[in-house]
Amino acid sequence: MKQHTVASLFVAFFSCLSLSVFAQTDEDYTAEIMQHIVDPCFKYSADKSEPIPEVSESEMVTLMKLMSPDAVQDTIDVTLPVVKDKPIEARMQVYELSLKLCIRGTGK
């Protein structure tokens, strides 16, 4: 009896685990896009810009994103349909290429 219970618990646990891994929402993808494309691109641009005294790099990145909401939204709008429901390896390749294009687009 105990073996069947343990086996059932393992099956239930792994079923829940697999569902949580594959059930990503648009918000999850958006967070990945921000983490792997938008933030690093703005960080690159901030690094190449003239520093402003008393403003940290993270504050500069935040300011740049606030000043360019259309660019941020365009990046999400273009990237989300491409990466949605793709495995992580494929998404990472898209993010890497998109980041390179974004950095090239900064002209710095």
Side-chain angles (χ1 to χ4, degrees):
M1 176 74 173
K2 285 184 181 181
Q3 290 176 344
H4 294 298
T5 303
V6 170
S8 296
L9 289 174
F10 274 122
V11 168
F13 172 76
F14 286 116
S15 296
C16 291
L17 183 61
S18 68
L19 286 177
S20 68
V21 168
F22 295 110
Q24 283 197 278
T25 65
D26 285 357
E27 290 80 22
D28 296 327
Y29 293 116
T30 298
E32 281 186 359
I33 294 164
M34 294 297 291
Q35 177 185 3
H36 295 288
I37 303 171
V38 175
D39 290 343
C41 187
F42 278 107
K43 182 182 179 310
Y44 175 86
S45 186
D47 288 344
K48 299 299 180 188
S49 298
E50 186 70 32
I52 300 173
E54 310 277 329
V55 177
S56 72
E57 182 182 88
S58 65
E59 291 169 330
M60 180 62 84
V61 169
T62 300
L63 179 61
M64 293 172 93
K65 288 191 300 187
L66 288 172
M67 292 173 46
S68 305
D70 291 339
V72 172
Q73 192 59 53
D74 287 347
T75 302
I76 293 166
D77 291 345
V78 167
T79 310
L80 182 61
V82 175
V83 299
K84 191 171 185 173
D85 299 326
K86 299 291 189 292
I88 186 71
E89 297 84 10
R91 294 195 314 267
M92 288 301 149
Q93 288 179 338
V94 170
Y95 299 149
E96 184 179 331
L97 175 62
S98 298
L99 175 57
K100 287 178 184 178
L101 292 172
C102 183
I103 287 172
R104 188 180 307 156
T106 65
K108 296 180 182 179

